[in-house]
Amino acid sequence: MRKKIVAGNWKMNMLQDEASQLVNDIIKEVKSTNDAITNEQEIIIIPPFPWIPDAVKQVDGYDNISVGAQNSYHEPRGAFTGEVSPEMIKSTGAEYIIVGHSERRSYFNESNEFLKQKVNAVLEAQLTPIFCCGEPLETRESNKQNELIEKQIQESLFHLNKEQISNLIIAYEPVWAIGTGKTATPEQAQEMHHFIRQLIAKKYGDTVAENIVLLYGGSCKPNNAVELFSKNDVDGGLIGGASLKAKDFIEIVQSFN
Ligand code: 13P
């Protein structure tokens, strides 16, 4: 059975005290709601780089809560001022790295080819990439979303072998739904997740496709998570805004039927 995952991408939010408070509040919420997470579920907290080591320490001992990073460079070390490598992130105890968030693609011009290198580097460090794909509004309006998602996945992931692709999570985040309050309908999310799973099946076979975790991201909130997560191919969410409030975040975590 596929794991149910809810990951909180804090983006560039939270000062040091606020960050440690939020992690504590998340832990408190989990403890106070006994059934908040089952063994088949995982919560991933993804704070800005400087707060990762503290977050890792804070969640130590909670089996179903892990920590990740929002980005990394594709080289393990060297003269790359300002960059952070997957090895460094791994050495803090974090386990996941987001690759190819639409904000990285658009503000930092990260191409499919560049993201391919990042995916390789994250896997090389034995961490799990959370690979993001998603179409902008114009693409959805001209009904070309499937072609675009196929291209993003093909160009950044299809060089991987079966074992490598099995160690990766894919997040579908339609750009028009991110931070806009405009969520994809559960049907739109299911349709795209199903399409992605079929792409994986065609290339890697049914078993790999059946086991790969597909998350939905884009204005996922406590009031729409239940419906989104009820869809067959939606295995959880990558949450932005609503992950900054412990109560909302844990309500989303509890949205699986
Ligand atoms: P919002 O939930 O704020 O729309 O952000 C989604 C996202 O980009 C998560 O990575």
Side-chain angles (χ1 to χ4, degrees), residues 151-185:
K151 190 170 156 61
Q152 289 176 339
I153 290 181
Q154 247 170 15
E155 293 184 0
S156 300
L157 301 183
F158 275 7
H159 63 290
L160 299 173
N161 63 31
K162 263 191 188 185
E163 195 196 329
Q164 291 169 318
I165 196 107
S166 304
N167 288 321
L168 176 142
I169 293 169
I170 297 177
Y172 168 58
E173 299 207 309
V175 180
W176 46 271
I178 297 178
T180 57
K182 202 175 164 199
T183 326
T185 63

PDB file of all heavy atoms in Angstrom, residues 151-185:
ATOM      1  N   LYS A 151       6.225  16.301 -20.681  1.00  0.00           N
ATOM      2  CA  LYS A 151       7.555  16.817 -21.049  1.00  0.00           C
ATOM      3  C   LYS A 151       8.406  17.045 -19.787  1.00  0.00           C
ATOM      4  O   LYS A 151       9.576  16.659 -19.736  1.00  0.00           O
ATOM      5  CB  LYS A 151       7.368  18.134 -21.819  1.00  0.00           C
ATOM      6  CG  LYS A 151       8.620  18.672 -22.480  1.00  0.00           C
ATOM      7  CD  LYS A 151       8.241  19.840 -23.400  1.00  0.00           C
ATOM      8  CE  LYS A 151       9.375  20.795 -23.660  1.00  0.00           C
ATOM      9  NZ  LYS A 151      10.537  20.241 -24.320  1.00  0.00           N
ATOM     10  N   GLN A 152       7.800  17.646 -18.757  1.00  0.00           N
ATOM     11  CA  GLN A 152       8.552  17.902 -17.517  1.00  0.00           C
ATOM     12  C   GLN A 152       9.049  16.583 -16.924  1.00  0.00           C
ATOM     13  O   GLN A 152      10.206  16.467 -16.508  1.00  0.00           O
ATOM     14  CB  GLN A 152       7.666  18.634 -16.496  1.00  0.00           C
ATOM     15  CG  GLN A 152       7.374  20.073 -16.880  1.00  0.00           C
ATOM     16  CD  GLN A 152       6.408  20.769 -15.917  1.00  0.00           C
ATOM     17  OE1 GLN A 152       5.655  20.132 -15.185  1.00  0.00           O
ATOM     18  NE2 GLN A 152       6.430  22.089 -15.934  1.00  0.00           N
ATOM     19  N   ILE A 153       8.182  15.589 -16.901  1.00  0.00           N
ATOM     20  CA  ILE A 153       8.541  14.305 -16.293  1.00  0.00           C
ATOM     21  C   ILE A 153       9.548  13.554 -17.168  1.00  0.00           C
ATOM     22  O   ILE A 153      10.555  13.040 -16.675  1.00  0.00           O
ATOM     23  CB  ILE A 153       7.265  13.471 -16.012  1.00  0.00           C
ATOM     24  CG1 ILE A 153       6.507  14.143 -14.856  1.00  0.00           C
ATOM     25  CG2 ILE A 153       7.597  12.020 -15.682  1.00  0.00           C
ATOM     26  CD1 ILE A 153       5.243  13.454 -14.431  1.00  0.00           C
ATOM     27  N   GLN A 154       9.294  13.546 -18.472  1.00  0.00           N
ATOM     28  CA  GLN A 154      10.205  12.839 -19.378  1.00  0.00           C
ATOM     29  C   GLN A 154      11.616  13.425 -19.306  1.00  0.00           C
ATOM     30  O   GLN A 154      12.585  12.695 -19.146  1.00  0.00           O
ATOM     31  CB  GLN A 154       9.713  13.014 -20.805  1.00  0.00           C
ATOM     32  CG  GLN A 154       9.238  11.740 -21.427  1.00  0.00           C
ATOM     33  CD  GLN A 154       8.540  12.007 -22.748  1.00  0.00           C
ATOM     34  OE1 GLN A 154       8.646  13.095 -23.320  1.00  0.00           O
ATOM     35  NE2 GLN A 154       7.817  11.026 -23.213  1.00  0.00           N
ATOM     36  N   GLU A 155      11.688  14.743 -19.389  1.00  0.00           N
ATOM     37  CA  GLU A 155      13.016  15.373 -19.496  1.00  0.00           C
ATOM     38  C   GLU A 155      13.797  15.382 -18.182  1.00  0.00           C
ATOM     39  O   GLU A 155      15.017  15.457 -18.192  1.00  0.00           O
ATOM     40  CB  GLU A 155      12.879  16.794 -20.058  1.00  0.00           C
ATOM     41  CG  GLU A 155      12.406  16.755 -21.496  1.00  0.00           C
ATOM     42  CD  GLU A 155      12.321  18.110 -22.179  1.00  0.00           C
ATOM     43  OE1 GLU A 155      12.627  19.153 -21.549  1.00  0.00           O
ATOM     44  OE2 GLU A 155      11.931  18.120 -23.350  1.00  0.00           O
ATOM     45  N   SER A 156      13.107  15.320 -17.065  1.00  0.00           N
ATOM     46  CA  SER A 156      13.845  15.355 -15.791  1.00  0.00           C
ATOM     47  C   SER A 156      13.941  14.001 -15.103  1.00  0.00           C
ATOM     48  O   SER A 156      14.797  13.811 -14.238  1.00  0.00           O
ATOM     49  CB  SER A 156      13.189  16.344 -14.815  1.00  0.00           C
ATOM     50  OG  SER A 156      13.163  17.634 -15.334  1.00  0.00           O
ATOM     51  N   LEU A 157      13.056  13.054 -15.473  1.00  0.00           N
ATOM     52  CA  LEU A 157      13.023  11.797 -14.699  1.00  0.00           C
ATOM     53  C   LEU A 157      13.240  10.518 -15.501  1.00  0.00           C
ATOM     54  O   LEU A 157      13.651   9.503 -14.935  1.00  0.00           O
ATOM     55  CB  LEU A 157      11.667  11.658 -13.972  1.00  0.00           C
ATOM     56  CG  LEU A 157      11.265  12.748 -12.979  1.00  0.00           C
ATOM     57  CD1 LEU A 157       9.932  12.385 -12.334  1.00  0.00           C
ATOM     58  CD2 LEU A 157      12.327  12.950 -11.911  1.00  0.00           C
ATOM     59  N   PHE A 158      12.950  10.563 -16.803  1.00  0.00           N
ATOM     60  CA  PHE A 158      12.904   9.290 -17.518  1.00  0.00           C
ATOM     61  C   PHE A 158      14.268   8.685 -17.861  1.00  0.00           C
ATOM     62  O   PHE A 158      14.335   7.624 -18.475  1.00  0.00           O
ATOM     63  CB  PHE A 158      11.984   9.377 -18.741  1.00  0.00           C
ATOM     64  CG  PHE A 158      10.537   9.125 -18.389  1.00  0.00           C
ATOM     65  CD1 PHE A 158      10.128   8.985 -17.069  1.00  0.00           C
ATOM     66  CD2 PHE A 158       9.569   9.017 -19.375  1.00  0.00           C
ATOM     67  CE1 PHE A 158       8.801   8.763 -16.731  1.00  0.00           C
ATOM     68  CE2 PHE A 158       8.230   8.781 -19.051  1.00  0.00           C
ATOM     69  CZ  PHE A 158       7.848   8.663 -17.730  1.00  0.00           C
ATOM     70  N   HIS A 159      15.339   9.328 -17.436  1.00  0.00           N
ATOM     71  CA  HIS A 159      16.664   8.710 -17.562  1.00  0.00           C
ATOM     72  C   HIS A 159      16.916   7.774 -16.369  1.00  0.00           C
ATOM     73  O   HIS A 159      17.862   7.008 -16.368  1.00  0.00           O
ATOM     74  CB  HIS A 159      17.746   9.793 -17.582  1.00  0.00           C
ATOM     75  CG  HIS A 159      17.789  10.575 -16.300  1.00  0.00           C
ATOM     76  ND1 HIS A 159      16.792  11.460 -15.935  1.00  0.00           N
ATOM     77  CD2 HIS A 159      18.668  10.546 -15.270  1.00  0.00           C
ATOM     78  CE1 HIS A 159      17.069  11.957 -14.746  1.00  0.00           C
ATOM     79  NE2 HIS A 159      18.196  11.419 -14.313  1.00  0.00           N
ATOM     80  N   LEU A 160      16.065   7.854 -15.342  1.00  0.00           N
ATOM     81  CA  LEU A 160      16.290   7.068 -14.116  1.00  0.00           C
ATOM     82  C   LEU A 160      15.951   5.599 -14.368  1.00  0.00           C
ATOM     83  O   LEU A 160      15.113   5.285 -15.209  1.00  0.00           O
ATOM     84  CB  LEU A 160      15.409   7.592 -12.973  1.00  0.00           C
ATOM     85  CG  LEU A 160      15.627   9.047 -12.550  1.00  0.00           C
ATOM     86  CD1 LEU A 160      14.576   9.464 -11.524  1.00  0.00           C
ATOM     87  CD2 LEU A 160      17.034   9.252 -11.981  1.00  0.00           C
ATOM     88  N   ASN A 161      16.579   4.713 -13.599  1.00  0.00           N
ATOM     89  CA  ASN A 161      16.193   3.308 -13.696  1.00  0.00           C
ATOM     90  C   ASN A 161      15.036   3.034 -12.720  1.00  0.00           C
ATOM     91  O   ASN A 161      14.631   3.926 -11.961  1.00  0.00           O
ATOM     92  CB  ASN A 161      17.396   2.376 -13.465  1.00  0.00           C
ATOM     93  CG  ASN A 161      17.968   2.521 -12.061  1.00  0.00           C
ATOM     94  OD1 ASN A 161      17.256   2.822 -11.108  1.00  0.00           O
ATOM     95  ND2 ASN A 161      19.271   2.303 -11.924  1.00  0.00           N
ATOM     96  N   LYS A 162      14.531   1.813 -12.749  1.00  0.00           N
ATOM     97  CA  LYS A 162      13.363   1.456 -11.937  1.00  0.00           C
ATOM     98  C   LYS A 162      13.571   1.713 -10.454  1.00  0.00           C
ATOM     99  O   LYS A 162      12.701   2.206  -9.755  1.00  0.00           O
ATOM    100  CB  LYS A 162      13.069  -0.039 -12.105  1.00  0.00           C
ATOM    101  CG  LYS A 162      12.015  -0.345 -13.106  1.00  0.00           C
ATOM    102  CD  LYS A 162      11.620  -1.813 -12.991  1.00  0.00           C
ATOM    103  CE  LYS A 162      10.690  -2.171 -14.125  1.00  0.00           C
ATOM    104  NZ  LYS A 162      10.155  -3.515 -14.040  1.00  0.00           N
ATOM    105  N   GLU A 163      14.753   1.324  -9.989  1.00  0.00           N
ATOM    106  CA  GLU A 163      15.025   1.461  -8.561  1.00  0.00           C
ATOM    107  C   GLU A 163      15.061   2.937  -8.169  1.00  0.00           C
ATOM    108  O   GLU A 163      14.530   3.333  -7.127  1.00  0.00           O
ATOM    109  CB  GLU A 163      16.368   0.784  -8.245  1.00  0.00           C
ATOM    110  CG  GLU A 163      16.569   0.545  -6.781  1.00  0.00           C
ATOM    111  CD  GLU A 163      18.021   0.246  -6.449  1.00  0.00           C
ATOM    112  OE1 GLU A 163      18.714  -0.335  -7.310  1.00  0.00           O
ATOM    113  OE2 GLU A 163      18.450   0.619  -5.340  1.00  0.00           O
ATOM    114  N   GLN A 164      15.672   3.745  -9.018  1.00  0.00           N
ATOM    115  CA  GLN A 164      15.775   5.172  -8.702  1.00  0.00           C
ATOM    116  C   GLN A 164      14.409   5.846  -8.698  1.00  0.00           C
ATOM    117  O   GLN A 164      14.089   6.600  -7.775  1.00  0.00           O
ATOM    118  CB  GLN A 164      16.696   5.860  -9.719  1.00  0.00           C
ATOM    119  CG  GLN A 164      18.153   5.450  -9.576  1.00  0.00           C
ATOM    120  CD  GLN A 164      18.989   5.942 -10.753  1.00  0.00           C
ATOM    121  OE1 GLN A 164      18.574   5.884 -11.908  1.00  0.00           O
ATOM    122  NE2 GLN A 164      20.176   6.433 -10.450  1.00  0.00           N
ATOM    123  N   ILE A 165      13.606   5.576  -9.709  1.00  0.00           N
ATOM    124  CA  ILE A 165      12.286   6.246  -9.780  1.00  0.00           C
ATOM    125  C   ILE A 165      11.409   5.796  -8.620  1.00  0.00           C
ATOM    126  O   ILE A 165      10.545   6.542  -8.149  1.00  0.00           O
ATOM    127  CB  ILE A 165      11.584   6.032 -11.148  1.00  0.00           C
ATOM    128  CG1 ILE A 165      10.433   7.040 -11.330  1.00  0.00           C
ATOM    129  CG2 ILE A 165      11.061   4.624 -11.328  1.00  0.00           C
ATOM    130  CD1 ILE A 165      10.686   8.120 -12.290  1.00  0.00           C
ATOM    131  N   SER A 166      11.673   4.600  -8.110  1.00  0.00           N
ATOM    132  CA  SER A 166      10.878   4.104  -6.980  1.00  0.00           C
ATOM    133  C   SER A 166      11.212   4.833  -5.681  1.00  0.00           C
ATOM    134  O   SER A 166      10.473   4.726  -4.703  1.00  0.00           O
ATOM    135  CB  SER A 166      11.114   2.604  -6.785  1.00  0.00           C
ATOM    136  OG  SER A 166      10.829   1.928  -7.975  1.00  0.00           O
ATOM    137  N   ASN A 167      12.338   5.539  -5.676  1.00  0.00           N
ATOM    138  CA  ASN A 167      12.732   6.279  -4.478  1.00  0.00           C
ATOM    139  C   ASN A 167      12.417   7.761  -4.599  1.00  0.00           C
ATOM    140  O   ASN A 167      13.179   8.611  -4.116  1.00  0.00           O
ATOM    141  CB  ASN A 167      14.233   6.109  -4.218  1.00  0.00           C
ATOM    142  CG  ASN A 167      14.538   4.728  -3.735  1.00  0.00           C
ATOM    143  OD1 ASN A 167      13.782   4.160  -2.952  1.00  0.00           O
ATOM    144  ND2 ASN A 167      15.625   4.155  -4.223  1.00  0.00           N
ATOM    145  N   LEU A 168      11.352   8.062  -5.255  1.00  0.00           N
ATOM    146  CA  LEU A 168      11.047   9.459  -5.548  1.00  0.00           C
ATOM    147  C   LEU A 168       9.547   9.703  -5.390  1.00  0.00           C
ATOM    148  O   LEU A 168       8.735   8.807  -5.611  1.00  0.00           O
ATOM    149  CB  LEU A 168      11.520   9.678  -6.984  1.00  0.00           C
ATOM    150  CG  LEU A 168      11.332  10.938  -7.749  1.00  0.00           C
ATOM    151  CD1 LEU A 168      12.583  11.174  -8.595  1.00  0.00           C
ATOM    152  CD2 LEU A 168      10.145  10.869  -8.666  1.00  0.00           C
ATOM    153  N   ILE A 169       9.223  10.918  -4.974  1.00  0.00           N
ATOM    154  CA  ILE A 169       7.810  11.317  -4.851  1.00  0.00           C
ATOM    155  C   ILE A 169       7.554  12.364  -5.935  1.00  0.00           C
ATOM    156  O   ILE A 169       8.430  13.189  -6.205  1.00  0.00           O
ATOM    157  CB  ILE A 169       7.560  11.948  -3.457  1.00  0.00           C
ATOM    158  CG1 ILE A 169       7.714  10.885  -2.361  1.00  0.00           C
ATOM    159  CG2 ILE A 169       6.203  12.630  -3.370  1.00  0.00           C
ATOM    160  CD1 ILE A 169       7.743  11.464  -0.948  1.00  0.00           C
ATOM    161  N   ILE A 170       6.390  12.321  -6.539  1.00  0.00           N
ATOM    162  CA  ILE A 170       6.050  13.368  -7.507  1.00  0.00           C
ATOM    163  C   ILE A 170       4.913  14.210  -6.930  1.00  0.00           C
ATOM    164  O   ILE A 170       3.935  13.669  -6.405  1.00  0.00           O
ATOM    165  CB  ILE A 170       5.622  12.771  -8.874  1.00  0.00           C
ATOM    166  CG1 ILE A 170       6.795  11.995  -9.495  1.00  0.00           C
ATOM    167  CG2 ILE A 170       5.151  13.869  -9.826  1.00  0.00           C
ATOM    168  CD1 ILE A 170       6.476  11.303 -10.817  1.00  0.00           C
ATOM    169  N   ALA A 171       5.078  15.526  -7.007  1.00  0.00           N
ATOM    170  CA  ALA A 171       4.005  16.425  -6.572  1.00  0.00           C
ATOM    171  C   ALA A 171       3.466  17.164  -7.789  1.00  0.00           C
ATOM    172  O   ALA A 171       4.232  17.802  -8.517  1.00  0.00           O
ATOM    173  CB  ALA A 171       4.525  17.422  -5.539  1.00  0.00           C
ATOM    174  N   TYR A 172       2.166  17.043  -8.020  1.00  0.00           N
ATOM    175  CA  TYR A 172       1.534  17.809  -9.087  1.00  0.00           C
ATOM    176  C   TYR A 172       1.023  19.108  -8.493  1.00  0.00           C
ATOM    177  O   TYR A 172       0.157  19.100  -7.604  1.00  0.00           O
ATOM    178  CB  TYR A 172       0.376  17.023  -9.717  1.00  0.00           C
ATOM    179  CG  TYR A 172      -0.477  17.881 -10.617  1.00  0.00           C
ATOM    180  CD1 TYR A 172       0.095  18.545 -11.717  1.00  0.00           C
ATOM    181  CD2 TYR A 172      -1.845  18.061 -10.384  1.00  0.00           C
ATOM    182  CE1 TYR A 172      -0.671  19.360 -12.545  1.00  0.00           C
ATOM    183  CE2 TYR A 172      -2.620  18.868 -11.218  1.00  0.00           C
ATOM    184  CZ  TYR A 172      -2.028  19.512 -12.285  1.00  0.00           C
ATOM    185  OH  TYR A 172      -2.781  20.325 -13.100  1.00  0.00           O
ATOM    186  N   GLU A 173       1.589  20.218  -8.940  1.00  0.00           N
ATOM    187  CA  GLU A 173       1.189  21.517  -8.423  1.00  0.00           C
ATOM    188  C   GLU A 173       0.859  22.448  -9.585  1.00  0.00           C
ATOM    189  O   GLU A 173       1.764  23.084 -10.151  1.00  0.00           O
ATOM    190  CB  GLU A 173       2.332  22.138  -7.600  1.00  0.00           C
ATOM    191  CG  GLU A 173       2.740  21.330  -6.397  1.00  0.00           C
ATOM    192  CD  GLU A 173       3.343  22.220  -5.313  1.00  0.00           C
ATOM    193  OE1 GLU A 173       4.249  23.016  -5.611  1.00  0.00           O
ATOM    194  OE2 GLU A 173       2.877  22.123  -4.180  1.00  0.00           O
ATOM    195  N   PRO A 174      -0.415  22.520  -9.974  1.00  0.00           N
ATOM    196  CA  PRO A 174      -0.766  23.452 -11.054  1.00  0.00           C
ATOM    197  C   PRO A 174      -0.426  24.880 -10.624  1.00  0.00           C
ATOM    198  O   PRO A 174      -0.836  25.317  -9.541  1.00  0.00           O
ATOM    199  CB  PRO A 174      -2.275  23.247 -11.211  1.00  0.00           C
ATOM    200  CG  PRO A 174      -2.748  22.534  -9.999  1.00  0.00           C
ATOM    201  CD  PRO A 174      -1.577  21.836  -9.397  1.00  0.00           C
ATOM    202  N   VAL A 175       0.332  25.576 -11.460  1.00  0.00           N
ATOM    203  CA  VAL A 175       0.842  26.899 -11.072  1.00  0.00           C
ATOM    204  C   VAL A 175      -0.307  27.858 -10.748  1.00  0.00           C
ATOM    205  O   VAL A 175      -0.220  28.671  -9.820  1.00  0.00           O
ATOM    206  CB  VAL A 175       1.744  27.474 -12.196  1.00  0.00           C
ATOM    207  CG1 VAL A 175       2.275  28.846 -11.825  1.00  0.00           C
ATOM    208  CG2 VAL A 175       2.899  26.521 -12.482  1.00  0.00           C
ATOM    209  N   TRP A 176      -1.418  27.726 -11.477  1.00  0.00           N
ATOM    210  CA  TRP A 176      -2.559  28.624 -11.286  1.00  0.00           C
ATOM    211  C   TRP A 176      -3.266  28.402  -9.949  1.00  0.00           C
ATOM    212  O   TRP A 176      -4.117  29.200  -9.547  1.00  0.00           O
ATOM    213  CB  TRP A 176      -3.565  28.468 -12.437  1.00  0.00           C
ATOM    214  CG  TRP A 176      -3.875  27.046 -12.798  1.00  0.00           C
ATOM    215  CD1 TRP A 176      -3.205  26.286 -13.701  1.00  0.00           C
ATOM    216  CD2 TRP A 176      -4.907  26.214 -12.262  1.00  0.00           C
ATOM    217  NE1 TRP A 176      -3.755  25.029 -13.762  1.00  0.00           N
ATOM    218  CE2 TRP A 176      -4.802  24.957 -12.898  1.00  0.00           C
ATOM    219  CE3 TRP A 176      -5.921  26.408 -11.313  1.00  0.00           C
ATOM    220  CZ2 TRP A 176      -5.662  23.899 -12.614  1.00  0.00           C
ATOM    221  CZ3 TRP A 176      -6.776  25.351 -11.033  1.00  0.00           C
ATOM    222  CH2 TRP A 176      -6.641  24.115 -11.678  1.00  0.00           C
ATOM    223  N   ALA A 177      -2.916  27.331  -9.258  1.00  0.00           N
ATOM    224  CA  ALA A 177      -3.566  27.039  -7.971  1.00  0.00           C
ATOM    225  C   ALA A 177      -2.671  27.393  -6.781  1.00  0.00           C
ATOM    226  O   ALA A 177      -3.121  27.374  -5.644  1.00  0.00           O
ATOM    227  CB  ALA A 177      -3.949  25.562  -7.910  1.00  0.00           C
ATOM    228  N   ILE A 178      -1.397  27.725  -7.054  1.00  0.00           N
ATOM    229  CA  ILE A 178      -0.456  27.944  -5.950  1.00  0.00           C
ATOM    230  C   ILE A 178      -0.617  29.339  -5.364  1.00  0.00           C
ATOM    231  O   ILE A 178      -0.420  30.342  -6.054  1.00  0.00           O
ATOM    232  CB  ILE A 178       0.997  27.723  -6.419  1.00  0.00           C
ATOM    233  CG1 ILE A 178       1.174  26.264  -6.844  1.00  0.00           C
ATOM    234  CG2 ILE A 178       1.987  28.100  -5.332  1.00  0.00           C
ATOM    235  CD1 ILE A 178       2.559  25.939  -7.379  1.00  0.00           C
ATOM    236  N   GLY A 179      -1.007  29.381  -4.093  1.00  0.00           N
ATOM    237  CA  GLY A 179      -1.135  30.645  -3.378  1.00  0.00           C
ATOM    238  C   GLY A 179      -2.250  31.534  -3.903  1.00  0.00           C
ATOM    239  O   GLY A 179      -2.320  32.715  -3.566  1.00  0.00           O
ATOM    240  N   THR A 180      -3.130  30.996  -4.725  1.00  0.00           N
ATOM    241  CA  THR A 180      -4.179  31.815  -5.341  1.00  0.00           C
ATOM    242  C   THR A 180      -5.541  31.610  -4.685  1.00  0.00           C
ATOM    243  O   THR A 180      -6.469  32.366  -4.938  1.00  0.00           O
ATOM    244  CB  THR A 180      -4.348  31.442  -6.836  1.00  0.00           C
ATOM    245  OG1 THR A 180      -4.650  30.035  -6.906  1.00  0.00           O
ATOM    246  CG2 THR A 180      -3.091  31.731  -7.626  1.00  0.00           C
ATOM    247  N   GLY A 181      -5.651  30.563  -3.878  1.00  0.00           N
ATOM    248  CA  GLY A 181      -6.948  30.241  -3.291  1.00  0.00           C
ATOM    249  C   GLY A 181      -7.814  29.475  -4.283  1.00  0.00           C
ATOM    250  O   GLY A 181      -8.939  29.081  -3.980  1.00  0.00           O
ATOM    251  N   LYS A 182      -7.287  29.282  -5.502  1.00  0.00           N
ATOM    252  CA  LYS A 182      -8.048  28.580  -6.543  1.00  0.00           C
ATOM    253  C   LYS A 182      -7.516  27.147  -6.642  1.00  0.00           C
ATOM    254  O   LYS A 182      -6.451  26.917  -7.219  1.00  0.00           O
ATOM    255  CB  LYS A 182      -7.813  29.329  -7.856  1.00  0.00           C
ATOM    256  CG  LYS A 182      -8.863  29.112  -8.876  1.00  0.00           C
ATOM    257  CD  LYS A 182      -8.605  29.983 -10.103  1.00  0.00           C
ATOM    258  CE  LYS A 182      -9.441  29.438 -11.236  1.00  0.00           C
ATOM    259  NZ  LYS A 182      -8.995  29.864 -12.530  1.00  0.00           N
ATOM    260  N   THR A 183      -8.206  26.214  -6.008  1.00  0.00           N
ATOM    261  CA  THR A 183      -7.722  24.826  -6.001  1.00  0.00           C
ATOM    262  C   THR A 183      -8.170  24.108  -7.264  1.00  0.00           C
ATOM    263  O   THR A 183      -9.234  24.415  -7.805  1.00  0.00           O
ATOM    264  CB  THR A 183      -8.391  24.030  -4.851  1.00  0.00           C
ATOM    265  OG1 THR A 183      -8.583  24.917  -3.775  1.00  0.00           O
ATOM    266  CG2 THR A 183      -7.551  22.869  -4.406  1.00  0.00           C
ATOM    267  N   ALA A 184      -7.368  23.134  -7.689  1.00  0.00           N
ATOM    268  CA  ALA A 184      -7.863  22.239  -8.735  1.00  0.00           C
ATOM    269  C   ALA A 184      -9.051  21.497  -8.142  1.00  0.00           C
ATOM    270  O   ALA A 184      -9.065  21.203  -6.938  1.00  0.00           O
ATOM    271  CB  ALA A 184      -6.770  21.248  -9.125  1.00  0.00           C
ATOM    272  N   THR A 185     -10.046  21.192  -8.943  1.00  0.00           N
ATOM    273  CA  THR A 185     -11.150  20.393  -8.409  1.00  0.00           C
ATOM    274  C   THR A 185     -10.596  18.988  -8.146  1.00  0.00           C
ATOM    275  O   THR A 185      -9.597  18.584  -8.774  1.00  0.00           O
ATOM    276  CB  THR A 185     -12.317  20.271  -9.422  1.00  0.00           C
ATOM    277  OG1 THR A 185     -11.826  19.565 -10.573  1.00  0.00           O
ATOM    278  CG2 THR A 185     -12.843  21.637  -9.830  1.00  0.00           C
TER     279      THR A 185
END
